[in-house]
Amino acid sequence: MTRLLSIFVMMASISTLAVADEDSDSSGHYFAEFPVVLSASRLVQPAQEAPAAVTVIDREMIRNSGARQIAELFRLVPGFLITYRNGHSPAVTYHGLADTYARRLQVMIDGVSVYSPLYGGVEWYDLPIAIEDIERIEIVRGPNGASFGANAFVGMVNIITREPAVGDPSDIAITSGTNGVNDWSARYAAGAENWSYRLSAGQRSDRGFDGQPDSSRVEHFNFRGRHRLDAANELAGTFLHSNGVGTEYYSIERPRYFIQDAVQLCWTKATGADEFWLQFHHSQRQERERYGGIYELDLSALGLGTKSFPYSVNFDNDLRRDELAFQQSFGGSEQWRLVWGGQLRQDAVRSATVFDRSDWLTNQLENVFASSEWRPWKQLLLHAGATYEHSSLSGGSISPRISATAFLAEGQSIRIGISKARRMPTPYEEFADESYAVPTSLHALLVGIAPMLPPSWRVAALQPTLVQAYLSSGGLRDEKILSRELAYLGNWPSLRLSGEVRWFNDQVRDLIYVHRIEYPSLVLLVQRANNPYAESTTFDFRNMDIATERGVEGSLRWTPWQGADLMVAAARTVIKSSDIDASYSASAPLHTASALFSQQLPWDTSVSLGYYRVGEMQWLGGGEPLPAYERIDIRLGKRFRWGRQTGELSWTTQNVLNNNHPDFQLEFRNKRISWLKFQYSF
């Protein structure tokens, strides 16, 4: 808390330097109304009229934060948590309940899901876009299955990239700093009256955590174009590509190589307030992860001493997704609006090691959704929406939501809402059969001596499985959540201030997590020869735990003076769980807080300060109890102008105090990192 006070002292000092500069960036003048959002209900509406809590991270906030990775931006959102299992493997979740896959948050790029069809969650570092490509990010805080179906379980994120437009500038950005930070990106834009496009390419790389073999490099390329056929019809296309290399570290080094591509084609017809669009999307990903070494197995109990033998592991996997979707919206009147649509999707996954089979596993998904709002009178807005979907993995389900917003006065409103959502089990949870066979030479030796062994040892000697890591019994049910909320939103244009506070109560059941089971692998039987109480290392997936999440969260945005912008977010979360298979109760900190202050200064310079605090918590899936920490980031920037051309040189330091706070496990330490970035627009 003392550091937080210090930040505000620094803010006050900086404010004495602020001056009115007619040529400076006008972003310091905070808009007088709530931002317009789309992701809460699929209807374009001010955030104050949305049926759920929505946080918007705009381009200026992205710039002021100094972030070089997309995942880092969610530190600014109330209740969101970020961790790194490896330096290049971030996980993002909302209100805890997550391991490094964070399967309960739906993430989209321009309305298309990037949720992994294999493990679930999102490969944040591998995303095929640069942070400079983003126009804004809309984050729906709370279940949003009513609008976007399964896996929008605790919330959803829609990353909206910059639209190509006539007259857009092209630009180049280069970043270099400590810890091997070496990024670059470039964009070229062109267009005419009826068409426009943008090409973007780049690279990001760093060395991860100190003392860990987790360096990484990702290269990406994307194309986005639009062609207006006539006054009502438009065609749009997007192509995304990324590839890279990184080393996973799970007590041994595991080099990982990937390549992924996606194409998206969309036809839109808009007539007045009504709009119809039809969209096709295809994506594919190949991941190659192989490693090997020498395995030593103590067979002294069999009179064979310690045997050493080479081994190799193949974690290769292939993913594929095909999707056809449509949406139709009706402007209606001042009293009502309606949007509806549907989707057909097929996900396919393949991994010989994970599933003990070489063919493709598929999941067919069909859904239909509708969302409507009705304003019976000026002071009251009612919203209702639902999605029905059917999955070949878990059958059919309905995710409904209703809400009511009362407008108390100009810019003041109260919203009450209730919603349900589901998360489908992933193919990994439903079909996992990850096993490793006893090497052929060792198995032949053990079979040969088996007749001479006591009966209790013959089982071990004849066991063909060296280790059985996961063996899913299948038949999993969808996870389910019932969420209730009460929210107040206020906007005071004369004070250049807006804010919100939200109380929530979420009841979650049928949580899916790993459950230890008995399986007579050779390693386990040998271990029990020396220790009869040795625990099995084989896991199944089961629906077992339940949890209740209660708390309050809120945010505040204020422009206290010319050229200044302050955003504050905080959350208090309490989880009570059965904790049968996992420490869900400890998976979210009691308190989190963040503040981002930026100030435009004379001579086209600017300064930003970020403050982040996270209380004690423990990530699931191997995470250790972590102490509370505070972190301060700083960014200084200077803009240059040459006619219509502009440039900016900025310096960013993360973790200024260098407190080396741990991440996920105590050995993964965050140190101070600094970099210089130059961006040139022409």
Side-chain angles (χ1 to χ4, degrees), residues 4 35 55 73 78 88 119 211 272 308 326 359 399 429 437 441 470 494 514:
L4 180 58
T55 297
L73 297 170
H88 62 277
Y119 296 112
S308 300
F326 76 94
D359 59 329
S399 299
E429 293 167 323
S441 58
Y470 293 92
S494 62
V514 291

Side-chain angles (χ1 to χ4, degrees), residues 103-165:
R103 301 175 181 89
R104 299 176 180 92
L105 183 68
Q106 176 66 278
V107 179
M108 311 181 107
I109 297 179
D110 294 323
V112 173
S113 174
V114 291
Y115 186 91
S116 169
L118 176 57
Y119 296 112
V122 175
E123 298 286 356
W124 287 97
Y125 198 77
D126 301 348
L127 292 181
I129 58 174
I131 201 168
E132 293 84 3
D133 293 324
I134 298 173
E135 178 67 28
R136 58 198 265 128
I137 303 176
E138 295 184 3
I139 303 105
V140 179
R141 305 187 336 262
N144 201 26
S147 295
F148 290 93
N151 307 325
F153 189 75
V154 297
M156 68 88 62
V157 172
N158 191 12
I159 301 170
I160 301 170
T161 61
R162 297 171 63 181
E163 291 278 359

Side-chain angles (χ1 to χ4, degrees), residues 197-353:
Y197 70 87
R198 176 182 287 109
L199 296 170
S200 175
Q203 170 192 283
R204 51 184 173 267
S205 62
D206 58 56
R207 290 199 295 265
F209 289 120
D210 272 357
Q212 304 293 332
D214 56 0
S215 60
S216 62
R217 185 189 73 255
V218 173
E219 300 168 342
H220 54 85
F221 168 83
N222 63 72
F223 165 87
R224 191 172 189 187
R226 292 187 174 275
H227 176 53
R228 182 169 292 279
L229 303 176
D230 54 41
N233 295 278
E234 183 179 81
L235 295 177
T238 301
F239 174 74
L240 304 172
H241 167 86
S242 63
N243 65 86
V245 57
T247 302
E248 305 293 322
Y249 183 66
Y250 299 83
S251 73
I252 55 175
E253 295 184 34
R254 290 166 41 174
R256 178 181 68 96
Y257 306 87
F258 81 93
I259 181 171
Q260 61 184 5
D261 299 285
V263 61
Q264 177 183 349
L265 303 173
C266 184
W267 165 55
T268 302
K269 182 175 183 178
T271 54
D274 300 340
E275 182 182 85
F276 173 84
W277 58 254
L278 179 67
Q279 177 176 275
F280 169 76
H281 170 257
H282 169 80
S283 62
Q284 59 189 32
R285 177 185 173 97
Q286 295 180 338
E287 190 167 306
R288 300 296 177 254
E289 184 179 337
R290 302 181 182 185
Y291 62 96
I294 301 297
Y295 193 89
E296 294 187 350
L297 184 61
D298 185 0
L299 296 173
S300 301
L302 298 179
L304 299 177
T306 298
K307 292 292 183 180
S308 300
F309 50 86
Y311 74 95
S312 62
V313 175
N314 177 348
F315 263 103
D316 293 357
N317 62 76
D318 299 285
L319 316 178
R320 191 174 62 208
R321 171 172 289 160
D322 292 285
E323 177 183 299
L324 184 65
F326 76 94
Q327 178 177 301
Q328 186 170 23
S329 59
F330 302 95
S333 65
E334 293 183 359
Q335 283 73 42
W336 69 272
R337 290 191 301 164
L338 171 69
V339 61
W340 78 287
Q343 176 191 68
L344 297 174
R345 192 174 86 197
Q346 183 185 76
D347 290 341
V349 299
R350 179 173 63 183
S351 176
T353 298

Side-chain angles (χ1 to χ4, degrees), residues 354-371:
V354 170
F355 300 114
D356 194 29
R357 52 193 288 185
S358 58
D359 59 329
W360 289 90
L361 290 170
T362 61
N363 178 29
Q364 307 284 345
L365 179 71
E366 308 92 29
N367 73 31
V368 60
F369 64 86
S371 182

Side-chain angles (χ1 to χ4, degrees), residues 499-576:
E500 61 153 350
V501 60
R502 173 178 179 260
W503 293 266
F504 59 89
N505 185 318
D506 298 342
Q507 295 180 350
V508 189
R509 57 191 177 95
D510 289 333
L511 284 164
I512 301 172
Y513 201 65
V514 291
H515 178 76
R516 196 184 301 271
I517 61 173
E518 285 293 312
Y519 190 90
S521 66
L522 177 60
V523 168
L524 176 62
L525 294 175
V526 168
Q527 288 176 344
R528 285 188 173 169
N530 300 313
N531 177 13
Y533 302 103
E535 286 189 311
S536 172
T537 56
T538 302
F539 294 92
D540 186 9
F541 289 94
R542 303 276 180 86
N543 296 96
M544 297 192 71
D545 283 297
I546 61 174
T548 299
E549 297 181 306
R550 296 187 179 93
V552 59
E553 61 189 24
S555 63
L556 186 73
R557 195 164 183 183
W558 182 35
T559 302
W561 49 75
Q562 173 74 21
D565 194 6
L566 172 64
M567 181 174 180
V568 178
R572 173 185 168 87
T573 305
V574 177
I575 302 178
K576 293 185 178 180

